[in-house]
């Protein structure tokens, strides 16, 4: 069936008690502390990069930046279940600089939301710096998106399409590295030729990048389910650089985390798509898709995606975000459940205005219909860092 669009999808879910959520509405809230860090070269730059990373505890399990999907409530849910750091969704630097409503609705954080990378797309160094200065008191890195491969990035001339203009990329990194108090990080995709990728990464390091996340697919390799990320390319980048390097791609469960770290030598891993379906991935939980038939050592983890969704909704009540984000997470977490009872999905799609009451009732309805698809734990992964809160909603 055709889905009706939310009339209120761009409006934040309302909640009178928002004291723990910080919104950033004007430059007076983001007065800089101290002098800019300034550009360092050689050994001093490398030492500072590692000193900062070590101060943060060298996090290895990280929520990747996802447009409209790595917002504060979702980040907090993932942190409860083992994530050690997280990126914000990609923010558009020009709109962020110009539009107070965009800043207020698209970037929220709280004191527990650390370590935090705030990611921007940009193609103008001055505009990027203006946006970055608004968030630097509230984050641990300002990140430049150099990896988005989507058509909107082509039209807007940002993300992976800046790979065709390395002088511009260099100027973006240098502008932030010289003028910010917090370090600059970058997230990239690889070139088809490994040599080009290595040269690209070295240029970013020389320009002042303090941490590099490498997605092991090219700009044209958009389908992550059909195309495996190239961990060998990530290993080569790690071997060529002296700053911390993170690996992105092929992380579906904790076995992948272990194998990726071993094969690439990376200092941490990012997960995106799998976390949307299973925010408890980093606590060792996995969906049935990643449990081999007859494999010993797997057990029902006494947690499922409906439990996680209820926890997410409660976090949204505390930390309001636009309804379009909530709707997206409902579909991602309950996709398999909706395939069993598509009429429940159709009722959800028919709602032009969502409410928490409707969503909690929807979960209860699925339960009453007898749906439960457990998340599984391997015995060796059973050191769970989180547990369901409060059962079902009232």
């Amino acid at each position: 069936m055709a889905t009706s669009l939310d009339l209120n999808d761009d409006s934040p879910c309302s909640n009178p008690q928002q004291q723990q959520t910080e919104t950033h509405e004007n430059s007076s809230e983001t007065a800089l502390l101290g002098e800019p860090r300034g550009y360092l070269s050689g050994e001093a730059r490398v030492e500072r990069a590692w000193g900062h990373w070590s101060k943060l505890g060298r996090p290895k399990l990280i929520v990747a930046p996802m447009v409209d999907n790595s917002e504060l409530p979702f980040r907090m849910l993932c942190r409860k279940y083992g994530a050690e750091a997280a990126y914000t969704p990609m923010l558009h630097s020009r709109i962020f600089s110009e539009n107070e409503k965009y800043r207020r609705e698209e970037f929220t954080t709280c004191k527990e939301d650390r370590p935090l990378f705030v990611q921007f797309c940009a193609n103008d160094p001055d505009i990027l710096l203006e946006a970055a200065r608004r968030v630097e008191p509230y984050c641990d890195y300002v990140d430049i998106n150099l990896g988005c491969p989507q058509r909107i990035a082509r039209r807007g001339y940002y993300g992976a399409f800046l790979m065709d203009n390395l002088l511009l990329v260099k100027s973006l990194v240098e502008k932030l590295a010289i003028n910010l108090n917090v370090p600059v990080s970058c997230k990239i995709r690889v070139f088809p030729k490994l040599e080009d990728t290595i040269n690209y990464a070295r240029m970013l390091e020389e320009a002042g990048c303090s941490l590099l996340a490498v997605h092991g697919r090219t700009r044209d390799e958009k389908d992550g389910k059909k195309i495996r990320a190239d961990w060998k390319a990530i290993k080569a980048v790690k071997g060529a650089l002296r700053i911390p390097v993170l690996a992105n791609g092929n992380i579906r469960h904790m076995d992948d985390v272990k194998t990726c770290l071993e094969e690439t030598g990376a200092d941490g891993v990012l997960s995106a798509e799998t976390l949307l379906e299973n925010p408890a991935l980093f606590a060792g939980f996995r969906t049935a898709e990643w449990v081999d038939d007859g494999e010993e050592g797997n057990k029902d983890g006494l947690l499922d995606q409906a439990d996680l969704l209820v926890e997410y909704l409660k976090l949204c009540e505390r930390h309001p975000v636009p309804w379009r984000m909530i709707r997206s997470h409902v579909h991602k977490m309950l996709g398999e459940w909706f395939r069993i009872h598509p009429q429940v999905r159709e009722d959800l799609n028919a709602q032009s205005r969502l409410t928490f009451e409707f969503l909690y009732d929807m979960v209860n309805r699925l339960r009453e219909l007898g749906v439960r698809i457990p998340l599984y734990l391997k015995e060796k992964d059973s050191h769970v860092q989180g547990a369901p809160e409060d059962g079902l909603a009232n």
Side-chain angles (χ1 to χ4, degrees), residues 153-174:
R154 181 193 292 274
R155 291 197 301 270
Y157 192 47
Y158 59 78
F161 296 95
L162 297 185
M163 294 168 77
D164 299 326
N165 189 344
L166 298 187
L167 288 177
L168 174 57
V169 170
K170 183 179 180 181
S171 70
L172 293 170
V173 177
E174 287 180 338

Side-chain angles (χ1 to χ4, degrees), residues 297-314:
N298 288 301
K299 64 179 183 179
D300 185 335
L302 304 180
L303 180 72
D304 60 37
Q305 289 142 309
D307 295 325
L308 292 171
L309 178 60
V310 168
E311 291 191 60
Y312 169 72
L313 294 175
K314 290 180 178 180

Side-chain angles (χ1 to χ4, degrees), residues 14 47 63 82 133 168 179 185 234 245 319 339 344 361 364:
S14 61
E47 288 180 1
V63 181
R133 280 176 164 161
L168 174 57
N179 290 287
S185 62
I234 299 174
V245 173
H319 306 293
R339 275 185 269 279
V344 180
D361 286 346
N364 287 329

